[in-house]
Structure formats: C-alpha cells, structure tokens
Amino acid sequence: MKKRILSCAVALLVSLTSAGCGLLPDDEAGTRTVRIWLMRDSVSDDFLKRFTDAYEKEHSVDLEITFQDWTGIGRKVTAALGSDEAPDVIEVGNTQVAQYAETGLLYDLTLESVRDLGHEDWLPGLKDPGNVRGSQYGIPWYAANRVVIHRKDLFARAGITQPPKTRAQWIEDTEKLNGDGTHGLYLSGQDWYTLAGFIWDEGGDLAVDEGGAWTGALHTPAALRGMEFYKRLQALGPGPKDADEQTPPQADVFAKGDVAQIIAPPSAATAIQKRNPALKGKLGFFPIPGRTADKPCAVFTGGSDLIIPEKARQRDSAIEVVKALAGEKWQTDLARTMNYVPNKPSLASVVRNREATAAMAAGAARGRATPNSPQWAAVEEANPIKPYMTAVLEGEDAERAAETASARITSLLANG
C-alpha cells in the first residue's frame, strides 16, 4: 500500500476541508489508515521507509505520518486529544506524558504493556514518566542522555590510561588535566540536569509526591550532598557560575581546544568537530562516574514515549503499531540508525560497538526523569533551580538557599 507522509500544513488542511475519509472511520470507508504524529528529525527517512514499507506489507494498513515541531507542541497535542480528529499514535517527550494524562483523554495502555511489551525491562527514565497514578499511558520508544565527552590525547598526555569509574577518581583525574594551558573540565554553574543526576545518585530528588501533594526537595540532606559535589567539580574549571550550558554554548567552548572534558549528549561531538575539524578522531566518551565503581551516576533521561488518544479511531491498529515500534526488531534498527539508546537495558548490546551510544546506554540503565507532576513544566519555565545553584557556587549558605528554592518549587507545583 502507498505510504503517505504529510507535512503539518497539509495535515491541517486535510482535517479542515476533507469531506470524505476525514468524516468516516477508516474501516467504514473500506480502508484502514493509522494516523501517526512523529516529532521532526526523531527518525531518519531511511528508517521510516524501512518501517512503513515492511509494516504496511505485513499488516495491510496505510500509515499516514505527520511530522510535528517541538515549538508549541504541548498546546497542539492537547487540542488534538480533545478533538474528533485525534491521530491514532503520537510521539511525545517522556516528561510530557503526565500533563497529557491529566486531561483524561489518553488511552490506558497498562494491559497491553504488561502483556506484550516486556514492561519490567524498560528503562526507568522512559517507563516511570509514562506511568501516571498506576496507569501506563506512555510506552517507551527511545532515549538519550548526557555522558562525559573528553579529549583522548589530553588524557594520554596526563598519564590517564582509562576513564574514571568513581567520582573520587574523576576529581583526581580532572585535577591532573589542569595545567599547561588546559582546563580539566568545563561545567557551567546552572547545568541543572547534570545536578539532578548527582542528587539522584545520593538518593535525593528535586521534588517528591507526599500523599498527592508535590513539594520541593532541594533542601534535603541527600540533595545538598549532590549540590556539594557539583560545587566541587565545577570549581575545577572556568565555567561561569551564573549561566547555563548554552551561555555560551559549551560545545563552542570545547571546540577551542583547551578543555579536556564536558558533560553533554554525544550529539555535541558533531558540533565540536564541525567547529574544529582538527579534533576529529580525538574525542572519546564515557558514562558520568558514580559514587562507587560498580555503577555509573544516575542521569536525566531524555527521549520519547508513544501515546494513544482515547478518541483514536483505529485504536486496535494503533496498539499494534506501538508494539512494533517498541519491539526488539525495530528498536534494534532505530538504535543503530539514529544512535539512540533502545528502550530496554537488555537491548544495550546492539550498540556495544559504538562508543558514544554505549556510554549513553550504560548511564541510561540508571536514568531518571524529572518529577512526574503535570505541573512540572511550570517549574522548568520559572526554574528556581538555576539561581539556587548560582547562589551556592558564589558562597551563599547552601541549606538556606535550598530551602528558598524548595519553597518556590512547592508553590509552582501547587499552582502551576
């Protein structure tokens, strides 16, 4: 069957003007068309062609795929969920599932996920945010996370023969890398996603659900220990205390050639090498070290889940599409094509020969997502975590600054 890939504009025009298939369920019109929204650039053209060609042939359906942009996607998905023209499958950011579930317009996939999709082996950073109040609304699709990107040549010059496995060794190695015009590490003062990993590694959290009421948790002893380590690490380099990793872009700083390490997704290596081609072949990747050598640091897991609207016209067919995309065959293909982390730690072996993706996969096994409150987006918009970090790095009392930030987070989670 003919594959149909529509632009956002064409899809909107069809939904507004169609007098045929848009007004009748596809099975009543004599065809079955599964309408899918994917985020732009989440998959390559060659992967999409392989999947759609194979799936349509095996299942005798048409896949109508529309690409969406991240800008404004929250409002667009919410509107679609409430309409009679809701798509059948939607790719969403893993941390967005809770806000869409809050509408009451998502189909509960708990039974399907338990029965057929091996939910017990999903990455926690994709699985947990897809689960809202005990119901699985989001099915994990793919993940990506931060690693340490480093200069192999500078490590060798400093006598470091292998990447550090513990925080203590990481600090020691970074100190060795400082000197002779080299900065051991560049870490901005407001890189709060990296801070979150250190907090989780200590057993703390950014916010906690206490009987249905979310409260900020930066002032807890565990969270304060995470901040203390961040402060110690950040002091080993020239990163600004009052800016995040995009001000200036840390990839640009690294590309200048005098920095040995940054904490970033492996995709940053492309930007680095484009800006400084002399670094090609000199970059390496390793998981962010943990407190002990037996496991890397917890990390923030970014990525996507797949959801099905309650009003999906082709619900049964949509479930089958999700099962295929989340299943081993197409997870393996997607991971190798896009250098993503597959949705299960048991599939990490499919990227073991790819240094950057393998480093991500090791960290993703201990990955987490931001607090699973539908109001978390309000916290990120106001972001009291950033000024808290700057205050501590500039010498203010950490506990007092954390209590102020926690109170602000509590207010935002209560009021949105």
Side-chain angles (χ1 to χ4, degrees), residues 345-364:
S346 62
L347 294 177
S349 61
V350 306
V351 294
R352 65 177 177 272
N353 294 324
R354 305 181 182 210
E355 182 185 2
T357 313
M360 277 202 301

Side-chain angles (χ1 to χ4, degrees), residues 41 49 67 95 130 182 204 219 248:
D41 300 324
K49 186 177 190 308
F67 290 104
T95 61
T182 298
H219 62 290

Side-chain angles (χ1 to χ4, degrees), residues 221-267:
L224 288 169
R225 290 195 299 271
M227 184 65 224
E228 177 58 31
F229 179 77
Y230 189 100
K231 181 178 181 179
R232 184 180 177 193
L233 189 67
Q234 201 272 339
L236 296 178
K241 292 179 172 59
D242 59 352
D244 63 21
E245 64 274 24
Q246 294 300 321
T247 313
Q250 62 176 347
D252 291 352
V253 175
F254 191 92
K256 292 178 181 179
D258 59 356
V259 171
Q261 304 173 91
I262 57 171
I263 301 169
S267 57

Side-chain angles (χ1 to χ4, degrees), residues 119-333:
H119 75 291
E120 68 283 347
D121 190 33
W122 282 336
L123 291 174
L126 296 180
K127 174 185 177 180
D128 294 346
N131 189 291
V132 181
R133 293 185 293 275
S135 292
Q136 195 73 40
Y137 294 103
I139 303 301
W141 192 21
Y142 64 82
N145 50 266
R146 287 161 176 74
V147 299
V148 181
I149 303 176
H150 70 289
R151 287 273 302 274
K152 292 181 177 180
D153 56 329
L154 297 181
F155 268 55
R157 190 175 75 183
I160 303 170
T161 59
Q162 61 182 7
K165 294 289 185 67
T166 66
R167 285 191 196 170
Q169 187 62 54
W170 192 21
I171 292 287
E172 184 177 326
D173 288 348
T174 300
E175 290 172 339
K176 289 180 182 178
L177 290 161
N178 275 321
D180 295 327
T182 298
H183 302 292
L185 174 78
Y186 181 89
L187 178 61
S188 298
Q190 295 181 348
D191 187 350
W192 70 275
Y193 282 119
T194 294
L195 170 64
F198 297 149
I199 289 174
W200 293 327
D201 216 38
E202 292 287 349
D205 213 331
L206 305 177
V208 294
D209 184 356
E210 298 180 339
W214 284 90
T215 60
L218 293 176
H219 62 290
T220 62
L224 288 169
R225 290 195 299 271
M227 184 65 224
E228 177 58 31
F229 179 77
Y230 189 100
K231 181 178 181 179
R232 184 180 177 193
L233 189 67
Q234 201 272 339
L236 296 178
K241 292 179 172 59
D242 59 352
D244 63 21
E245 64 274 24
Q246 294 300 321
T247 313
Q250 62 176 347
D252 291 352
V253 175
F254 191 92
K256 292 178 181 179
D258 59 356
V259 171
Q261 304 173 91
I262 57 171
I263 301 169
S267 57
T270 301
I272 291 166
Q273 291 171 136
K274 182 177 181 180
R275 188 174 179 86
N276 186 353
L279 294 180
K280 188 174 182 178
K282 295 180 179 180
L283 303 184
F285 310 84
F286 60 86
I288 299 173
R291 292 191 302 162
T292 57
D294 59 324
K295 53 189 176 184
C297 185
V299 291
F300 169 74
T301 301
S304 288
D305 281 14
L306 299 170
I307 62 173
I308 296 178
E310 184 69 41
K311 293 186 177 183
R313 293 189 173 193
Q314 295 290 340
R315 180 185 296 166
D316 291 345
S317 294
I319 290 170
E320 294 306 312
V321 170
V322 169
K323 288 179 180 178
L325 288 170
E328 182 174 349
K329 176 183 177 180
W330 293 106
Q331 279 291 297
T332 298
D333 191 319

